[in-house]
Amino acid sequence: MKALSKIWMDGKFVDWDDAKIHILTHGLHYGHAVFEGIRCLSTPEGPAIFRLEDHMERFFNSAKMYMMKIDYSAKELNNACVELVRKNGIPESYIRPIAYSAYGEMGVNPSNCKISVAIASWEWGRYLGKDSVEKGVRATVSSWVRIDSRALPPQAKCSANYANAGLAKMEAMKMGYDEAILLNSHGAVAEGPGENIFKIKDEVLSTPPASSGILRGITRDTVIQLASDLKINFYRNDITREELYTADELFFSGTAVGVAKIREVDGRQIGNGVFPLTEKIMKLYEDTIHGKVKRYSKWLTRVKP
Ligand code: PMP
């Protein structure tokens, strides 16, 4: 990781190397932390943060589910993100707000812990690599089951969830795949470890509903809106494992991965190896996040120098 200049911590911009916390920070031990992943991208009018307000709304909803009281308003944190991008001075970056139970008390009960908030940003290319754009990725259905709302709220972007995601990711990589696909406890397709999934069959686009145990992705929501513009038929419904194998096209969606074609699942080629509808969506998505689609400029928060 390449160091940038500043990180925002509890209201102050500190130097990158000084952004440190105590080893007995509660959230580090018990996973009581919620976070976001946001992208700032270059546009013809300079750097712009994509759907900042929507990400911040999800951040506060995640905190609410864990009864974390954040001592800043969404507006203050949005402004801090913008200011951070400005201070770090690079046109494209990934922005990571995190709220966590801080140092002070140990034990499983986080109720008496102060909630600290930090925002970092760094340079991050395509999470699934360059090939994910051109050729598409190879995925495998994981032996690990996606957490469900009887264990942890899947719709909260909580650090603890990523212990489950990490197991699935490691297993897939060890088996020589690029990415995992997790099923839920009912055996239906949920999502990837850090991205949602879409299927296209007979020119109809579909994705698992929120009730399948997914994180409601902001890219997922973006794709759904773009598909409607492209007059692609769409519905949300459960997807079975075998429907993955027999799909015409499959793709992942997420802030870090963008829209990434899936060319193979468990050794089976998807469709004929061509992705006409996915590529249409990918192109419109890329143009949208890079400020080239006027009607979606409402999704961009500009960072003036
Ligand atoms: N699912 C999980 C588990 C994720 O971590 C992410 C990334 N935040 C997503 C889906 C996609 O969400 P988004 O499009 O908002 O990045």
Side-chain angles (χ1 to χ4, degrees), residues 34-247:
V34 298
F35 67 94
E36 266 308 314
I38 314 171
R39 271 208 194 269
C40 176
L41 296 133
S42 53
T43 76
E45 281 88 43
I49 306 176
F50 188 64
R51 300 193 67 170
L52 174 61
E53 282 162 16
D54 297 313
H55 279 282
M56 208 49 85
E57 188 182 343
R58 188 172 67 184
F59 185 61
F60 276 84
N61 281 336
S62 297
K64 184 172 188 183
M65 287 183 240
Y66 278 93
M67 299 199 280
M68 288 182 175
K69 195 183 159 303
I70 294 183
D71 289 336
Y72 304 92
S73 66
K75 201 164 169 214
E76 283 170 317
L77 296 184
N78 287 343
N79 289 341
C81 288
V82 170
E83 196 50 36
L84 180 72
V85 167
R86 200 174 281 136
K87 284 192 190 299
N88 282 336
I90 53 168
E92 300 215 328
S93 54
Y94 181 87
I95 306 165
R96 166 61 53 83
I98 183 163
Y100 56 96
S101 49
Y103 167 80
E105 248 185 59
M106 292 304 263
V108 168
N109 179 9
S111 310
N112 299 323
C113 293
K114 173 183 157 13
I115 300 301
S116 277
V117 183
I119 310 172
S121 74
W122 64 88
E123 252 181 307
W124 214 7
R126 288 279 168 171
Y127 174 68
L128 292 174
K130 247 187 150 180
D131 267 9
S132 70
V133 181
E134 280 136 38
K135 290 201 286 189
V137 298
R138 296 174 56 247
T140 182
V141 173
S142 185
S143 72
W144 296 98
V145 169
R146 167 80 178 157
I147 49 157
D148 77 20
S149 13
R150 293 166 296 186
L152 292 166
Q155 286 183 33
K157 197 166 165 61
C158 175
S159 296
N161 299 0
Y162 291 85
N164 172 249
L167 288 169
K169 179 79 186 179
M170 282 192 291
E171 180 186 65
M173 302 282 290
K174 285 251 179 228
M175 289 165 71
Y177 289 95
D178 304 305
E179 191 54 302
I181 298 170
L182 289 99
L183 305 182
N184 62 28
S185 50
H186 303 291
V189 172
E191 60 179 351
E195 57 276 317
N196 297 115
I197 191 166
F198 283 84
K199 167 180 85 95
I200 297 167
K201 181 74 178 174
D202 298 331
E203 306 204 335
V204 177
L205 179 72
S206 64
T207 197
S211 55
S212 65
I214 58 166
L215 180 77
R216 291 165 83 139
I218 285 157
T219 318
R220 173 179 175 271
D221 180 71
T222 304
V223 165
I224 293 168
Q225 295 199 48
L226 300 183
S228 153
D229 286 3
L230 292 167
K231 309 258 179 297
I232 297 173
N233 285 327
F234 164 75
Y235 55 90
R236 289 172 190 81
N237 78 329
D238 279 342
I239 297 175
T240 63
R241 182 176 189 160
E242 54 282 17
E243 282 167 345
L244 294 177
Y245 299 155
T246 57

